[in-house]
């Protein structure tokens, strides 16, 4: 097949965005999608309005007397589906309104922000990892209508008429597990047993809800009006969505220029700073006649190793082999050898495992691995010379805008890897890596626990290359990465049942950090 026939047509993707007829339901509903959606120039902030019942009010009126008005970013999401969404760095902004027909005793008004892990209906299955209280007004502040702050009389807390209290405070992006209510009220740990060398502060995770995982990450906002000791509080509660702000570093100059000009990307040979190369991977196998054949792979991923959901992961691979028939077979652009996988580590008993960690012990966790998508390949036609014994493929992995971003939160870690699996070929039977590729890297303490999976299949028992990457939520500065191929119809991620981290023969360290929170 000629290079021109294999080459994707870029221009048609840039201008032609149509709805596919047979898309599967996304893994997450649309409130979790890309925060950088396209909006009209006159888009207005989104308002979310809530009103109270008559609970806590000494009045015969049936009219709502307490209102909560939240202001969030503009969005195209329909109002009936629009849960308030906050991103890392956003403020929680709004007003509290009172409409009181008669004098009512109110001692204070507060906004409570709470983050919770839910793993089961057991007592330990609900773990509050974040709780922040923002005071809106209290009786000691005096009459809200007063224009002065000093006076000789103490305000009695009786309010009547209409009032409006504005508020604004930053959404916390980190939480201290040693001080959170879920740990301090669990009666498990003692402060004297904690290791000073253990860091208890972690970035807050994104809202998470998947039907096939026994863990939810939920946030809610509660407006509380305190009337005094002898009367119940009045509350308005609403669920909210939190999405951390993770931004990749900028692309190389040459890649940014290619994006700006809507041209194909420069190869690793032309733009070495723009690509991260694996160590050459040497594998061995046999042909159909039983003859031994060696193959060398090198996998390249675009630098930096952080990619915004809704874009793509640019890939390059070189395949070197002296057997030309085997080389041709392994260079098939229809191959599904390179995949994006997601690994979720989570605690089923968060109070107990957080206590283990704070005391310097290894926590126990559940681990689930999903195959998210596979790379789409073509033969490059630009500055990439194809040699007789070396084949070059260019490709990309599409990232859905509903992907859960990477998370470094201890009770709920989300990690992504680009993996190269053993080749499937009619002319080459894979036997294993050569001796030069048998070394394994040590996992950190969090990964040393045994995952709860089974070895019922052999299809994925050896990932030849596993490259950690970060899935970000915001685009970096400069031209936005754009796809060169049409995204496949959305399919549900495939659960990998037989994953074992010790099967990796390559696992090199990640050169970037999750500094975008």
């Amino acid at each position: 097949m000629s290079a021109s026939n294999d080459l994707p047509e870029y221009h048609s993707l840039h201008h032609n965005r149509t709805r596919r007829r047979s898309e599967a339901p996304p893994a997450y509903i649309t409130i979790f999608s890309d925060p950088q959606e396209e909006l009209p120039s006159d888009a207005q902030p989104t308002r979310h309005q809530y009103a109270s019942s008559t609970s806590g009010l000494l009045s015969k009126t049936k009219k709502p007397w307490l209102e909560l008005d939240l202001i969030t970013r503009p969005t195209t999401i329909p109002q009936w589906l629009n849960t308030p969404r906050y991103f890392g760095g956003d403020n929680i902004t709004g007003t509290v309104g009172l409409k009181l027909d008669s004098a009512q005793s109110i001692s204070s008004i507060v906004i409570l922000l709470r983050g919770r892990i839910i793993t089961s209906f057991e007592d330990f299955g609900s773990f509050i990892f974040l709780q922040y209280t923002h005071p809106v007004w209290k009786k000691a502040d005096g009459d809200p209508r007063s224009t002065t702050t000093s006076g000789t009389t103490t305000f009695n807390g009786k309010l009547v008429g209409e009032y409006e209290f504005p508020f604004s405070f930053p959404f916390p992006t980190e939480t201290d597990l040693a001080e959170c209510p879920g740990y301090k009220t669990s009666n498990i740990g003692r402060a004297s047993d904690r290791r000073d060398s253990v860091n208890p502060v972690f970035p807050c995770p994104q809202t998470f809800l998947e039907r096939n995982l026994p863990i939810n990450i939920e946030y809610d906002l509660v407006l509380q009006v305190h009337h005094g000791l002898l009367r119940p509080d009045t509350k308005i509660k609403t669920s909210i969505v939190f999405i951390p702000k993770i931004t990749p570093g900028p692309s190389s100059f040459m890649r940014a220029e290619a994006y700006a000009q809507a041209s194909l990307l420069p190869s690793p040979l032309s733009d070495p700073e723009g690509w991260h190369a694996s160590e050459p991977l040497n594998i061995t196998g046999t042909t159909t006649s039983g003859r031994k054949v060696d193959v060398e792979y090198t996998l390249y991923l675009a630098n930096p190793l952080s990619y915004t959901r809704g874009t793509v992961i640019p890939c390059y691979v070189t395949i070197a082999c002296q057997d030309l028939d085997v080389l041709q077979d392994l260079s098939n652009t229809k191959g599904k050898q390179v995949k994006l996988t997601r690994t979720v580590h989570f605690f089923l008993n968060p109070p107990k495992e957080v206590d283990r960690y704070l005391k310097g012990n290894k926590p126990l966790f559940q681990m689930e691995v999903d195959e998210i998508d596979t790379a789409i390949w073509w033969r490059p036609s630009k500055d990439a010379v194809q040699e007789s014994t070396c084949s070059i493929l260019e490709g990309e992995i599409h990232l859905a805008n509903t992907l859960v971003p990477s998370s470094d939160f201890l009770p709920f870690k989300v990690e992504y890897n680009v993996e190269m699996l053993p080749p499937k070929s009619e002319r080459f039977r894979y036997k294993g890596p050569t001796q030069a590729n048998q070394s394994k890297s040590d996992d950190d303490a969090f990964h040393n626990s045994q995952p709860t999976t089974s070895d019922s299949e052999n299809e994925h028992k050896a990932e030849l290359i596993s490259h950690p990457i970060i899935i970000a939520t915001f685009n970096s500065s400069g031209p936005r990465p754009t796809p060169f191929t049409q995204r496949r119809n959305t399919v549900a991620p495939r659960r990998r049942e037989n994953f074992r981290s010790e099967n990796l023969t390559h696992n090199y360290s990640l050169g970037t950090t999750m500094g975008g929170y």
Side-chain angles (χ1 to χ4, degrees):
M1 183 178 292
S2 66
S4 60
N5 291 335
D6 282 345
L7 195 66
E9 294 190 14
Y10 171 78
H11 59 84
S12 63
L13 296 177
H14 191 67
H15 301 288
N16 190 13
R17 301 179 182 272
T18 58
R19 182 181 298 272
R20 301 181 182 89
R21 292 176 295 178
S22 57
E23 290 186 341
Y28 308 92
I29 57 178
T30 53
I31 57 174
F32 300 145
S33 60
D34 188 352
Q36 299 185 135
E37 56 185 313
E38 296 181 3
L39 297 168
S41 58
D42 58 348
Q44 298 297 312
T46 306
R47 296 186 63 183
H48 312 264
Q49 296 176 302
Y50 310 90
S52 75
S53 64
T54 57
S55 61
L57 188 65
L58 296 178
S59 174
K60 295 181 180 180
T61 181
K62 298 296 184 181
K63 296 186 298 182
W65 63 275
L66 176 64
E67 296 178 347
L68 174 62
D69 193 356
L70 299 176
I71 306 296
T72 60
R73 297 186 181 204
T75 181
T76 57
I77 295 175
Q79 187 65 35
W80 64 270
L81 190 59
N82 191 8
T83 301
R85 296 187 301 166
Y86 298 95
F87 310 105
D90 282 359
N91 278 4
I92 297 179
T93 302
T95 57
V96 176
L98 301 179
K99 296 181 180 179
L100 303 170
D101 294 336
S102 59
Q104 302 293 330
S105 178
I106 295 178
S107 59
S108 65
I109 303 172
V110 299
I111 299 289
L112 177 67
L113 171 64
R114 189 163 49 202
R116 185 194 310 267
I117 300 171
I118 299 176
T119 59
S120 72
F121 294 107
E122 303 290 341
D123 292 340
F124 59 78
S126 180
F127 181 82
I128 298 176
F129 63 85
L130 174 67
Q131 185 161 291
Y132 177 80
T133 302
H134 177 77
V136 177
W137 177 86
K138 60 182 182 296
K139 185 169 66 174
D141 294 336
D143 187 348
R145 292 199 176 97
S146 175
T147 57
T148 62
T149 57
S150 61
T152 58
T153 60
T154 302
F155 183 62
N156 62 7
K158 296 286 186 179
L159 300 180
V160 63
E162 296 188 3
Y163 301 84
E164 191 172 86
F165 301 93
F167 63 86
S168 182
F169 59 93
F171 198 115
T173 57
E174 294 182 332
T175 183
D176 188 335
L177 293 179
E179 300 297 328
C180 70
Y183 179 67
K184 298 185 71 174
T185 62
S186 64
N187 298 320
I188 293 179
R190 295 179 297 177
S192 59
D193 295 331
R194 283 182 48 198
R195 294 283 185 91
D196 293 337
S197 59
V198 173
N199 179 22
V201 179
F202 290 88
C204 292
Q206 171 166 329
T207 300
F208 181 84
L209 175 63
E210 275 193 17
R211 57 182 175 268
N212 60 348
L213 279 177
I215 182 170
N216 294 348
I217 304 293
E218 299 180 356
Y219 292 89
D220 55 57
L221 201 65
V222 184
L223 168 61
Q224 295 181 331
V225 177
H226 304 295
H227 299 280
L229 296 177
L230 301 180
R231 292 174 56 191
D233 297 340
T234 303
K235 299 180 181 180
I236 294 179
K237 178 181 177 181
T238 180
S239 297
I240 61 176
V241 170
F242 174 68
I243 302 172
K245 184 176 183 180
I246 310 174
T247 306
S251 301
S252 67
F253 174 80
M254 294 184 67
R255 178 177 291 110
E257 190 175 48
Y259 286 140
Q261 298 176 359
S263 62
L264 293 173
L265 302 182
S267 71
L269 181 63
S270 301
D271 183 23
E273 294 183 358
W275 296 91
H276 182 93
S278 69
E279 292 294 330
L281 171 70
N282 295 285
I283 65 173
T284 185
T286 57
T287 64
T288 53
S289 62
R291 183 167 51 86
K292 180 182 176 181
V293 175
D294 293 328
V295 181
E296 182 181 276
Y297 284 94
T298 304
L299 177 65
Y300 299 83
L301 299 179
N303 269 329
L305 300 174
S306 180
Y307 313 94
T308 305
R309 55 188 184 175
T311 63
V312 293
I313 302 175
C315 310
Y316 237 83
V317 65
T318 62
I319 310 168
C321 181
Q322 295 298 319
D323 189 302
L324 300 186
D325 290 334
V326 171
L327 179 63
Q328 181 180 8
D329 208 32
L330 296 181
S331 304
N332 186 358
T333 58
K334 303 298 183 182
K336 298 182 178 181
Q337 190 176 348
V338 177
K339 299 176 181 288
L340 175 66
T341 65
R342 184 194 72 179
T343 304
V344 179
H345 310 262
F346 59 94
F347 296 157
L348 285 179
N349 188 333
K352 183 177 180 180
E353 305 313 326
V354 168
D355 183 59
R356 285 179 187 266
Y357 169 79
L358 294 176
K359 292 176 180 178
N361 300 317
K362 297 177 184 178
L364 302 178
F365 62 94
Q366 291 274 80
M367 185 171 79
E368 299 285 357
V369 181
D370 291 315
E371 294 181 356
I372 303 301
D373 210 340
T374 58
I376 301 174
W377 300 101
W378 63 90
R379 300 183 188 279
S381 63
K382 183 180 181 181
D383 62 23
V385 180
Q386 302 280 355
E387 300 178 2
S388 60
T389 58
C390 182
S391 180
I392 300 175
L393 297 178
E394 185 176 0
E396 60 190 12
I397 302 174
H398 288 261
L399 303 176
N401 62 5
T402 51
L403 278 180
V404 173
S406 299
S407 172
D408 200 29
F409 182 54
L410 177 70
F412 177 74
K413 299 191 72 161
V414 180
E415 299 172 340
Y416 288 89
N417 288 271
V418 174
E419 296 182 353
M420 176 175 282
L421 304 179
K424 293 182 178 181
S425 168
E426 295 180 356
R427 298 175 179 174
F428 177 80
R429 179 171 296 180
Y430 168 72
K431 294 297 184 181
T434 61
Q435 292 298 319
N437 296 118
Q438 289 293 340
S439 62
K440 304 174 185 178
S441 62
D442 293 331
D443 291 333
D444 59 28
F446 190 85
H447 293 83
N448 282 338
S449 302
Q450 288 297 321
T452 57
T453 54
S454 61
D455 285 317
S456 58
E457 299 176 358
N458 294 320
E459 182 181 356
H460 305 288
K461 68 179 181 180
E463 290 76 33
L464 301 178
I465 296 177
S466 182
H467 219 317
I469 65 165
I470 290 173
I471 298 299
T473 54
F474 280 74
N475 289 316
S476 62
S477 58
R480 179 172 181 171
T482 47
F484 291 88
T485 58
Q486 187 71 42
R487 176 178 170 82
R488 302 183 184 95
N489 285 347
T490 303
V491 295
R494 177 182 176 184
R495 176 61 42 83
R496 181 174 293 181
E497 298 293 346
N498 61 334
F499 178 84
R500 285 287 188 271
S501 60
E502 60 265 29
N503 286 335
L504 301 182
T505 57
H506 272 54
N507 190 7
Y508 19 97
S509 61
L510 181 63
T512 57
T513 59
M514 296 186 61
Y517 281 95

